[in-house]
Amino acid sequence: MPETYVGANRMRQMIGRGGRTLDDAHGQHSIHRNNNLQMEVVQHQRAPGQRRGSVTNFHMHGDALGAVTHTNRRGQTFRLSAGSHNQSTANLTYQAHGRGG
């Protein structure tokens, strides 16, 4: 399914929909390549009765901010390009990775 490019404010709204935060995520895991952290995958809590939740991927390029992709529970994927971060999405990336903000 193709990705839809969005700005930082729209990405922040999608990640925080329904009062979600990264602190109440259902699960999180890291993907490493060549001993470098490449991505944090955050699985958001599902609402009661939902078969699946949404997922946000926070990409990194070394210590530099990378793209953020968010797939909603309908399977639609949205992308925030690395150069389009604002302070709130940079802070989310820092919260997910512990660095890069």
Side-chain angles (χ1 to χ4, degrees), residues 24-95:
D24 62 13
H26 175 66
Q28 180 171 339
H29 65 275
S30 303
I31 297 175
H32 292 81
R33 184 174 294 142
N34 299 327
N35 292 325
N36 292 318
L37 180 62
Q38 298 281 303
M39 181 189 317
E40 288 290 334
V41 180
V42 177
Q43 299 165 300
H44 300 287
Q45 289 282 17
R46 295 186 303 258
Q50 288 181 347
R51 291 178 45 166
R52 64 179 158 178
S54 56
V55 176
T56 305
N57 298 321
F58 294 90
H59 304 257
M60 291 290 283
H61 302 289
D63 283 333
L65 298 176
V68 176
T69 55
H70 178 80
T71 304
N72 65 21
R73 58 189 170 92
R74 293 184 297 279
Q76 299 167 298
T77 300
F78 301 89
R79 174 178 284 270
L80 170 70
S81 298
S84 299
H85 281 282
N86 69 12
Q87 189 61 41
S88 67
T89 55
N91 286 343
L92 284 173
T93 302
Y94 182 79
Q95 185 181 356

